[in-house]
Amino acid sequence: MRYYFFNLLEELAYDYPLYRPPSEANSTILQVTLGCSFNHCSFCSMYRTKFYQERSLEEIKSEIDLISKYHPLTEKIFLADGDALNLKTERLVEILDHLNLKFNNLRRISCYAMPKNLMQKKGSELERGRDRRLSMLYVGIESGNDVVLQKVTKGASSSMIIESCNKALNHEFTLSCMIILGLGGRTYSDAHISDTATVMSQISPHYLAALNLQLDETVRGEFMSKFGEPFFWLTDLEILDELEKLTVLFDPARQVIFRANHASNVYSIGGSLPSERSKLQRLIHELKDHPEMLRPRIVRRF
């Protein structure tokens, strides 16, 4: 169902629910696809109310024209929903060309990207997008452990994740990756964090965000069923143990801006790794000693 988003333009319709990364808060959002073409990750409820669709080029161009009329100084645009990079390259290029035509101040276009999206694009296709200011990609890694990835039906292996992300980096995209603390439960906690740190070290993205597992009631039963064995939730202190272990083991080849400040996290933490490793670990130790500082569970959400 299409709704009107009056905070942007009275005439611009969005198909809800609508999601974007926290760092895109000041970006104009343009829906070029609706939903997610995969939509089987057992922990994710974001697009379960939608069937995947690719919006018509005519409709997209019409909305671009409308936005440019009211917001001609737009500098950043986020292509929603979860699967813009799934578009055929020619369609994506036409959209990007029209955006560049209509916005003279445009600095950056960004979108979510699944590993399979990146793998299905040739390097030359990625370059065509990058040359048209599609320069930042947000990739959900979730875990670097293959057992956990299978249990949450991610649709990607650790080797595929490494290959796809390095493909984006090799073609000069800015890469922001997300992982989920607690995703393996207590049974796979050590393997989940150790392998995730290894995978992320091999990728060394520009940005790394650590979220905490939170399950919407609409997917909780599916998650538990697909997991295939009893799932033991981590306590807040165990989540902090995972976070600490990640900061110890993550050894990137470049400075990485690290954040654990999502609404799902037990506490808002941020810094650069490896340069601020000690600072982050001191804060984590303080939180362990003073659990009253942690964000109340009732206000956490995924």
Side-chain angles (χ1 to χ4, degrees), residues 26 214 228 289 297:
N26 295 320
Q214 304 283 334
D289 292 337
R297 288 180 178 271

Side-chain angles (χ1 to χ4, degrees), residues 24 26-30 64 67-68 71-79 92-110 129-136:
E24 299 292 336
N26 295 320
S27 299
T28 294
I29 301 177
L30 176 69
I64 293 172
I67 296 169
S68 66
H71 293 268
L73 301 180
T74 292
E75 296 183 351
K76 296 195 298 181
I77 291 175
F78 179 77
L79 302 180
L92 183 59
V93 164
E94 284 194 70
I95 294 169
L96 297 174
D97 280 342
H98 201 62
L99 286 168
N100 282 284
L101 176 66
K102 290 294 181 175
F103 297 101
N104 294 329
N105 288 18
L106 191 58
R107 293 189 293 107
R108 186 182 84 191
I109 303 171
S110 58
R130 188 207 61 220
D131 291 344
R132 289 164 172 82
R133 293 192 174 89
L134 177 59
S135 58
M136 185 166 188

Side-chain angles (χ1 to χ4, degrees), residues 35-50:
C36 171
S37 66
F38 182 66
N39 217 18
H40 291 301
C41 297
S42 63
F43 55 86
C44 180
S45 61
M46 287 170 61
Y47 302 114
R48 294 305 181 91
T49 59
K50 299 184 181 186

Side-chain angles (χ1 to χ4, degrees), residues 254-270:
R254 76 175 92 226
Q255 284 295 319
V256 175
I257 297 176
F258 176 74
R259 295 286 185 266
N261 60 357
H262 186 261
S264 63
N265 290 117
V266 298
Y267 192 86
S268 291
I269 293 174

Side-chain angles (χ1 to χ4, degrees), residues 70-238:
Y70 288 89
H71 293 268
L73 301 180
T74 292
E75 296 183 351
K76 296 195 298 181
I77 291 175
F78 179 77
L79 302 180
D81 275 334
D83 229 357
L85 207 61
N86 193 58
L87 291 171
K88 296 294 186 183
T89 300
E90 291 303 326
R91 169 66 64 86
L92 183 59
V93 164
E94 284 194 70
I95 294 169
L96 297 174
D97 280 342
H98 201 62
L99 286 168
N100 282 284
L101 176 66
K102 290 294 181 175
F103 297 101
N104 294 329
N105 288 18
L106 191 58
R107 293 189 293 107
R108 186 182 84 191
I109 303 171
S110 58
C111 68
Y112 288 125
M114 289 185 285
K116 77 175 186 70
N117 296 149
L118 288 164
M119 293 299 292
Q120 70 190 10
K121 296 290 187 188
K122 297 178 181 178
S124 58
E125 293 177 295
L126 292 175
E127 289 174 3
R128 292 179 69 188
R130 188 207 61 220
D131 291 344
R132 289 164 172 82
R133 293 192 174 89
L134 177 59
S135 58
M136 185 166 188
L137 303 176
Y138 296 87
V139 182
I141 304 301
E142 330 311 355
S143 177
N145 179 264
D146 284 324
V147 173
V148 173
L149 289 169
Q150 290 178 348
K151 285 182 170 293
V152 301
T153 55
K154 173 62 182 175
S157 64
S158 59
S159 60
M160 180 179 173
I161 288 169
I162 293 168
E163 184 177 356
S164 61
C165 288
N166 281 327
K167 185 177 184 179
L169 290 170
N170 289 339
H171 290 284
E172 300 181 356
F173 284 87
T174 298
L175 191 64
S176 180
C177 293
M178 292 81 74
I179 63 104
I180 303 177
L181 300 172
L183 188 62
R186 189 171 295 126
T187 303
Y188 298 97
S189 179
D190 285 343
H192 166 52
I193 293 301
S194 295
D195 290 345
T196 298
T198 297
V199 166
M200 296 316 304
S201 296
Q202 292 185 50
I203 296 171
S204 295
H206 299 88
Y207 300 89
L208 175 61
L211 287 64
N212 282 23
L213 179 66
Q214 304 283 334
L215 294 177
D216 188 274
E217 287 303 318
T218 59
V219 297
R220 181 180 289 266
E222 176 187 341
F223 179 89
M224 298 302 174
S225 175
K226 287 183 174 180
F227 202 79
E229 62 182 275
F231 183 85
F232 302 103
W233 287 86
L234 269 61
T235 66
D236 288 349
L237 290 181
E238 288 170 327

Side-chain angles (χ1 to χ4, degrees), residues 51-65:
F51 292 104
Y52 176 73
Q53 300 177 56
E54 297 179 0
R55 297 184 63 205
S56 72
L57 187 60
E58 179 182 32
E59 187 177 19
I60 293 169
K61 284 187 173 182
S62 177
E63 289 196 357
I64 293 172
D65 293 343

